[in-house]
Amino acid sequence: MSEGGAPGGPPSGPPSGPPSGPPRERPQLGPPVSPEERARREEYGGGGGRGRRDDFPRGPMSVKARLRARARKKARKTKKKMFQRRKVCRFCADKKLALDYKEAKTLRLFISETGKVTPRRISGTCSKHQRQLALAIKRARQIALLPYAPGHM
């Protein structure tokens, strides 16, 4: 008798060794690719996105794509030419301007519409005065001169 099965029939259990017959083809994802296209892709690395962006030449650009590319290029050029004036700390520039928790009108300038303290990079306040400002805002909130949440404004 053969191992584990009816005499003369196929053996039962998992097959041992490589499968017999032609190799199974994997299902193709995406549109079918011609042999010429496959050869061209392999020539350019064909790594499916593993190589550099310019490894595989692209087809002709659509009108919309060309317009978008031109707009991006123009935006980059204008960005380089634009000069932004350096921000100056309001409290360092004007020594008479007091940073006090009782002056809610002054502190309100440093709070966003969502009720958050405006960061230094936006307000231009120096680090010393930013710390004092944050403390003053917290104290003003404590005694209800400033709101905690945007709904309280």
Side-chain angles (χ1 to χ4, degrees):
M1 235 188 200
S2 65
E3 53 179 62
S12 63
S16 59
S20 60
R24 288 180 24 200
E25 289 187 28
R26 286 186 277 171
Q28 190 169 13
L29 303 173
V33 180
S34 67
E36 299 91 34
E37 180 71 17
R38 188 174 291 130
R40 201 169 112 221
R41 286 183 183 181
E42 286 178 11
E43 180 184 326
Y44 283 102
R50 289 187 293 260
R52 285 195 341 254
R53 183 186 274 175
D54 300 326
D55 282 348
F56 186 68
R58 296 184 182 173
M61 288 175 70
S62 67
V63 176
K64 263 189 177 178
R66 228 177 285 127
L67 288 171
R68 278 196 303 265
R70 190 178 298 156
R72 279 194 304 267
K73 190 173 182 180
K74 188 177 179 182
R76 280 195 304 265
K77 278 186 178 179
T78 57
K79 203 175 191 180
K80 288 178 186 173
K81 290 180 183 177
M82 207 167 78
F83 175 74
Q84 192 169 6
R85 195 170 68 85
R86 182 159 161 73
K87 293 176 180 150
V88 180
C89 176
R90 194 177 296 190
F91 302 104
C92 288
D94 187 10
K95 298 289 182 187
K96 294 175 188 171
L97 188 63
L99 189 53
D100 191 21
Y101 70 93
K102 290 174 268 187
E103 293 186 29
K105 202 178 272 187
T106 308
L107 298 177
R108 206 173 271 270
L109 299 171
F110 296 94
I111 296 178
S112 68
E113 60 270 359
T114 56
K116 297 178 179 180
V117 179
T118 310
R120 278 184 57 207
R121 62 187 164 78
I122 294 171
S123 67
T125 316
C126 69
S127 57
K128 174 186 167 185
H129 287 114
Q130 181 72 18
R131 286 191 295 271
Q132 292 175 5
L133 180 71
L135 189 66
I137 289 171
K138 288 172 189 174
R139 285 180 178 164
R141 282 175 175 165
Q142 193 84 37
I143 59 172
L145 293 176
L146 289 177
Y148 277 102
H152 300 149
M153 288 182 143

